[in-house]
Every structure is written in C-alpha cells, then in structure tokens.
Amino acid sequence: MIPKHNKNAIVTGVSSHQGIGAAICRKLASQNFNIFFTYWDAVPHWEKEFSKEISETGVVCKGLEIDLSNVQSTEKVLEFAALEVGEPMILVNNAAHSTRDGYLEFNAKTLDAHYAVNMRAVFLLCTEFAKRFPEWKLPYGRIINMTSGQELGQMPGELAYASTKAAITAFTRSLSTEIAHLGITVNAINPGPTDSAWMNEEIRNHLLPRFPVGRIGQPDDAANLAAFLAGKDSRWITGQVIHSEGGFIRG
C-alpha cells in the first residue's frame, strides 16, 4: 500500500467544472490522490470553488493560475505542486490551446501560440518531472498526455492545433523508452469528441450519428481511463496512444 500522503497528482488545464481535466481530478481524488491542478482564464472564484469540491472528498486539493505558454511555467508548476500537496507520482498533461485557422489564416503567431502550450509546455513538464523523479523516491510514476487522434484523420481548419497535438504522439512513444528504467510509464489518451464545455446542441446533433454506441463521449469516460493508467495495475502499459472513442466513425 502507498501511504495516502504520497499519492499526489498534477493535472493541467482544469478551467471548467464540465471539462475533462475536472473529471480526471474527481476520479483521481476518489482513489485517494491529492490533487494539484492548473488553470487559466477561468471564471472568477473558480479555483476556490473547485478546490473546495475536491477537498470535501477527503484529499488535499490546490490550484494554480498559470499561463503555460510562459517558458518559466514548467518549474513553477512542479515546485508549487511539491510544496502545496507533495511530490507528484502522476502528471496529466491536459492543457491545450486551440483556435480555428485554415491555410488562409495560418501564420507564425498562430503557430507559435499553439506550439507554446501544446508542445513546449507538455514536453518540458514531462522531462522535468522525469529529471526530478529519482529524488522523490516514490514507488512508481505515471505521465499521461492528452491528444486528439490527429493521426486517425484530417482536421481541416485546425492546422496549428492538429500539427502541434500530433507531435505529442511521437514524443510520448520516444520518451517512454528513455525513462522506463526510472519506473515511469508514459502514455497518451485520445478521448475522441467529448461533450464538455465546447459543445452546443448543433454540434451534438451532428456528431451523435457517428457514435455507434448511441451516445457522445463524456468527460468521465476519459477520466476513467486516466485513472486506470495512473494506477499500479497499468505498470505494463507504456509508450501507447489509447484511442478511447466509443467507436467514433470518421468521414
């Protein structure tokens, strides 16, 4: 058994009660993980309300408002997490930057904004986590990166988002080999279209026929998989991109 005070997790990109990040926090808290989450551009008092909700389950929960596009954010996240809740066993990279573009609107500013959050922040958090991990002397480590299935089909009108998120797949696979000896697994989750804060009724009606199971993915679907990958029973799974989409039909 791992002492409760040593079960600590970082989840980035938790800025809405309805999002995948919030669902992952709730699920990990139900498994006695203390939660350190990051958020950005959230509604007023978001952090206090969400921290209170999670803390009422009996774990420690702290949030940090931080712009992950800032190159200095990586060290700050890890240092604050260790200080506020304890040295983390779990790192979930859920934060993402996404705007519509297409080739006519595509430019350096758009690409750089996506790169800073979707690639640089993720890659630096992963590698800095791995560098510090031996000092923490924890029984195991888990890195879980969120992607969006870019290699499964085209995403017209989202060139910057698709390309920068797709890079996470290659990074996940290569990093998993490099740090396996540390006792850290590295995997990615593609949850498919998920009915979180970004969907409206028009989008739901458009997507629903593409789900043969008869419903659209929910944040809890992604959270359940993340919680499994965060646990000791997933120790033989690393370097994988798991497409958990409920049979979503593209095209």
Side-chain angles (χ1 to χ4, degrees), residues 71-84:
V71 73
Q72 305 298 327
S73 64
T74 299
E75 292 187 1
K76 189 173 182 180
V77 169
L78 292 169
E79 289 169 3
F80 271 63
L83 180 66
E84 295 287 344

Side-chain angles (χ1 to χ4, degrees), residues 18-38:
Q18 300 170 283
I20 289 175
I24 292 173
C25 290
R26 294 184 184 104
K27 186 66 178 182
L28 291 177
S30 75
Q31 297 183 349
N32 293 322
F33 281 96
N34 299 314
I35 303 297
F36 183 85
F37 67 93
T38 74

Side-chain angles (χ1 to χ4, degrees), residues 73-160:
S73 64
T74 299
E75 292 187 1
K76 189 173 182 180
V77 169
L78 292 169
E79 289 169 3
F80 271 63
L83 180 66
E84 295 287 344
V85 304
E87 295 159 338
M89 295 173 60
I90 314 300
L91 169 63
V92 182
N93 283 304
N94 175 68
H97 179 79
S98 176
T99 60
R100 299 286 296 179
D101 48 49
Y103 79 97
L104 291 174
E105 286 77 35
F106 193 85
N107 55 40
K109 183 178 180 181
T110 297
L111 181 59
D112 288 350
H114 285 78
Y115 159 78
V117 176
N118 298 346
M119 293 175 62
R120 187 177 67 199
V122 171
F123 299 171
L124 290 177
L125 278 168
C126 288
T127 52
E128 192 62 30
F129 176 90
K131 291 173 188 176
R132 298 178 184 217
F133 189 77
E135 303 173 6
W136 298 336
K137 301 189 183 305
L138 297 169
Y140 66 82
R142 302 284 186 262
I143 295 175
I144 303 164
N145 296 323
M146 303 302 294
T147 184
S148 303
Q150 282 73 22
E151 71 270 32
L152 300 180
Q154 301 86 349
M155 295 182 70
E158 297 185 69
L159 295 175

Side-chain angles (χ1 to χ4, degrees), residues 6-232:
N6 283 340
K7 293 185 65 173
N8 308 310
I10 297 173
V11 184
T12 69
V14 186
S15 299
S16 166
H17 284 285
Q18 300 170 283
I20 289 175
I24 292 173
C25 290
R26 294 184 184 104
K27 186 66 178 182
L28 291 177
S30 75
Q31 297 183 349
N32 293 322
F33 281 96
N34 299 314
I35 303 297
F36 183 85
F37 67 93
T38 74
Y39 64 102
W40 182 247
D41 197 25
V43 298
H45 311 300
W46 152 256
E47 184 269 341
K48 290 183 179 180
E49 293 173 3
F50 189 68
S51 294
K52 183 175 183 292
E53 175 193 337
I54 299 299
S55 297
E56 286 175 349
T57 68
V59 302
V60 178
C61 181
K62 300 290 183 180
L64 174 67
E65 183 174 21
I66 191 165
D67 180 2
L68 292 176
S69 69
N70 187 319
V71 73
Q72 305 298 327
S73 64
T74 299
E75 292 187 1
K76 189 173 182 180
V77 169
L78 292 169
E79 289 169 3
F80 271 63
L83 180 66
E84 295 287 344
V85 304
E87 295 159 338
M89 295 173 60
I90 314 300
L91 169 63
V92 182
N93 283 304
N94 175 68
H97 179 79
S98 176
T99 60
R100 299 286 296 179
D101 48 49
Y103 79 97
L104 291 174
E105 286 77 35
F106 193 85
N107 55 40
K109 183 178 180 181
T110 297
L111 181 59
D112 288 350
H114 285 78
Y115 159 78
V117 176
N118 298 346
M119 293 175 62
R120 187 177 67 199
V122 171
F123 299 171
L124 290 177
L125 278 168
C126 288
T127 52
E128 192 62 30
F129 176 90
K131 291 173 188 176
R132 298 178 184 217
F133 189 77
E135 303 173 6
W136 298 336
K137 301 189 183 305
L138 297 169
Y140 66 82
R142 302 284 186 262
I143 295 175
I144 303 164
N145 296 323
M146 303 302 294
T147 184
S148 303
Q150 282 73 22
E151 71 270 32
L152 300 180
Q154 301 86 349
M155 295 182 70
E158 297 185 69
L159 295 175
Y161 178 75
S163 58
T164 54
K165 290 290 282 187
I168 293 173
T169 294
F171 184 84
T172 294
R173 288 172 175 153
S174 293
L175 181 66
S176 69
T177 301
E178 283 200 26
I179 65 175
H181 70 284
L182 298 176
I184 303 172
T185 64
V186 189
N187 294 289
I189 296 173
N190 162 32
T194 301
D195 192 357
S196 55
W198 67 279
M199 278 196 188
N200 57 35
E201 203 60 31
E202 181 181 356
I203 294 173
R204 293 186 188 97
N205 291 335
H206 173 71
L207 290 175
L208 183 57
R210 300 187 182 191
F211 285 91
V213 296
R215 69 171 177 86
I216 296 173
Q218 299 296 313
D220 283 346
D221 296 317
N224 290 337
L225 179 53
F228 169 71
L229 291 175
K232 60 183 177 62

